[in-house]
Amino acid sequence: MIDTTKTLKPGLYVTATPIGNLGDITYRAVETLKAADLVLCEDTRQTAKLCAAYGIETPRAPYHEHNAARVRPEIMKKLKGGAAICLVTDAGTPLISDPGYKLVREAAGEGVDVFPIPGPCAAIAALSAAGAPSDAFFFAGFPPSKSGAREKALTALKETYGTLVFYETGQRLAASLAAMAEAFGDRAAVVARELTKLHEEFRRGSLRDLADHYAASPPKGEIVILVHPPEPAQADEGALDAYLTDALQSLSVKDAAREAASALGVPKRQAYERALELKEGT
Ligand code: SAM
């Protein structure tokens, strides 16, 4: 139930809003937006649509990259004076490739309470349904648009452990995918487009296949790219067998596998499974 009579503790409420489907907003976000003294918006016209849909009548003011430095002192004054202020952006979670970092840093630095009101984020929505490994990931935001800077930034991510998550525009998608194939090799990847909207699409393939596909038909809409992590090194089977056969003369399966994994730089599971097979004579 939404409690519209609720009063808020003073502080800055970093409030997530939908990334497409207007229904994707939490009860708590609506409640907080209603109860706040002020809503800071990346674009007041965009937020007006959300407020109209949910009957939110709280005053709104712009806070975006062009006015942030100028209006921040006034916002800080209000916060220190005990106001409860929401920060929203056009879509998703503020600060995630969106304005807000300097305000949060300053507020937290000056002892103002900062509360997250969590909700949609395109990177997390994409990761949750892409089928790419999700136990570890690195959010890299938008790749640089100029090719030299992009190549350098991507090369720096080559060894990063975990799935790489990027934001990209339709216009630059094919070029970015091709640059990723150059930097990372032809890894598996997923393009997640128009999440939560009518034309939502997940396209899975290798970076080169995806680059070719989107070069031939440049996509419309908003996009997240996910690049699978590097494959763990697979040992040369002959070398692994030779090492294990020798080690199994004097060690248990577990110890032989551990030593082989460490000596040959192969995954422990691979070494253990092979050691078991050798021990059982298969
Ligand atoms: N703060 C937002 C968030 O939490 O996801 C991101 C804002 S950033 C300025 C906008 C970029 O996010 C888009 O260019 C796109 O890469 C990605 N994005 C936002 N909404 C999306 C959606 N519905 N589907 C796919 N990507 C989306």
Side-chain angles (χ1 to χ4, degrees), residues 13-24:
Y13 291 77
V14 183
T15 309
T17 59
I19 55 169
N21 187 320
L22 211 55
D24 292 334

Side-chain angles (χ1 to χ4, degrees), residues 19 89 91-93 96-98 120-123 142 167-168 192-195 197 222-224:
I19 55 169
T89 53
T93 302
I96 307 302
S97 292
D98 258 346
C121 173
F142 286 94
Y167 285 165
E168 193 47 290
R193 199 169 66 81
E194 292 289 86
L195 294 167
K197 304 187 207 176
E222 300 194 283
I223 288 152
V224 181

Side-chain angles (χ1 to χ4, degrees), residues 11-234:
L12 180 63
Y13 291 77
V14 183
T15 309
T17 59
I19 55 169
N21 187 320
L22 211 55
D24 292 334
I25 186 162
T26 67
Y27 287 121
R28 184 165 173 237
V30 173
E31 204 173 83
T32 307
L33 288 164
K34 284 187 171 172
D37 299 306
L38 178 68
V39 180
L40 298 173
C41 315
E42 184 181 10
D43 179 345
T44 49
R45 287 162 306 178
Q46 193 65 27
T47 305
K49 293 182 208 161
L50 181 74
C51 290
Y54 286 97
I56 297 161
E57 292 172 351
T58 310
R60 295 182 286 273
Y63 183 83
H64 46 66
E65 57 176 323
H66 305 295
N67 76 346
R70 183 165 53 78
V71 302
R72 212 159 38 241
E74 187 57 31
I75 298 168
M76 286 303 301
K77 210 160 121 189
K78 287 192 168 85
L79 285 168
K80 285 179 176 172
I85 298 182
C86 283
L87 173 69
V88 302
T89 53
D90 290 352
T93 302
L95 278 81
I96 307 302
S97 292
D98 258 346
Y101 163 63
K102 287 184 180 161
L103 178 59
V104 169
R105 183 184 61 180
E106 198 168 327
E110 298 204 16
V112 171
D113 283 333
V114 182
F115 305 99
I117 308 292
C121 173
I124 301 298
L127 195 63
S128 73
S134 54
D135 49 351
F137 64 91
F138 183 87
F139 175 65
F142 286 94
S145 55
K146 296 209 170 104
S147 59
R150 182 169 56 204
E151 195 184 312
K152 204 167 156 199
L154 294 177
T155 304
L157 293 171
K158 189 176 175 192
E159 304 297 336
T160 302
Y161 172 76
T163 291
L164 300 172
V165 184
F166 298 92
Y167 285 165
E168 193 47 290
T169 63
Q171 209 189 355
R172 291 204 289 258
L173 178 63
S176 271
L177 290 166
M180 287 173 194
E182 276 298 306
F184 308 142
D186 198 15
R187 288 192 205 163
V190 184
V191 172
R193 199 169 66 81
E194 292 289 86
L195 294 167
T196 77
K197 304 187 207 176
L198 186 62
H199 298 293
E200 179 176 276
E201 176 191 53
F202 286 86
R203 183 169 283 273
R204 299 168 177 90
S206 78
L207 281 166
R208 285 215 168 84
D209 287 350
L210 290 168
D212 290 348
H213 172 83
Y214 287 112
S217 49
K220 289 205 171 70
E222 300 194 283
I223 288 152
V224 181
I225 304 171
L226 303 102
V227 182
H228 286 230
E231 290 291 331
Q234 291 291 316

